Amino acid sequence: MTVKNMTKKQIQTFFEILREQRPHPETELNYSSPFELLVAVTLSAQATDLSVNKATDKLFPIANTPEKIYALGVDGLKEYIKTIGLYNSKAENVIKACKILIEKHQSQVPNNRADLEALPGVGRKTANVVLNTAFGQATMAVDTHIFRVGNRTGLAVGKNVLEVEHRLIKVIPKEFILDSHHWLILHGRYCCIARKPKCAECVVSHVCNWPDKYEFGAHRQIKTKNIEV
């Protein structure tokens, strides 16, 4: 069943409520520099933020620059990240990326998509996260959570992540675009979950177009203070 796209009014209300719920959303990955963020996001592919944080909380105090991580070598880096899925290939990619950053970018993380995606282990999603979170650019990293929320709610219906990404950038009002990635991923991670979405607790269920939401406890009418519904 195809979900009907949200109207402009629904989208405006949707993000007003998410902003009210989380005025200052942030990534759950621990980092203190663009480079640490780049490494953390690279390691987070097919892994939880919690597992990445456990590893980087030990790694970054020892090595948190391209030079220091490169000096560890692949085997040295593996010792810190071996609890993370796919750690063998991730260690190789991070070391190769550090070498490129040192040789081509003066050890600085580039703030453009082309140079980021040229780094080993960095695809479009990782580049979007870094551009948005580290450099404040209006990008949208579509992971499984955001893909699900976009399609389920009618916010951005698309057959693949690129379609959803392009529609989100198109329909999200400018006032919300910089924080929208974090609002959507957190909403998908903790409320609009895959198998048993918490529609009964959802603060935006009244503007969601998912036909099955009532089966999961969504209320048919919700009055939200100071927000027009």
Side-chain angles (χ1 to χ4, degrees), residues 123-141:
R124 185 177 182 86
K125 184 177 73 173
T126 297
N128 279 339
V129 173
V130 174
L131 291 172
N132 177 265
T133 304
F135 299 112
Q137 297 184 24
T139 58
M140 177 59 63

Side-chain angles (χ1 to χ4, degrees), residues 23 52 60 62 73 82 86 88 92 112 122 125 131 135 168 188 205 208 217-218 221:
V52 173
F60 289 157
I62 302 300
K82 60 186 178 182
L86 305 176
N88 285 309
E92 292 179 2
N112 67 85
V122 178
K125 184 177 73 173
L131 291 172
F135 299 112
L168 287 171
S205 63
C208 169
Q221 286 188 339

Side-chain angles (χ1 to χ4, degrees), residues 26-40:
E26 296 179 344
T27 177
E28 294 185 319
L29 290 170
N30 296 336
Y31 77 99
S32 60
S33 70
F35 176 71
E36 287 187 2
L37 178 65
L38 174 65
V39 172

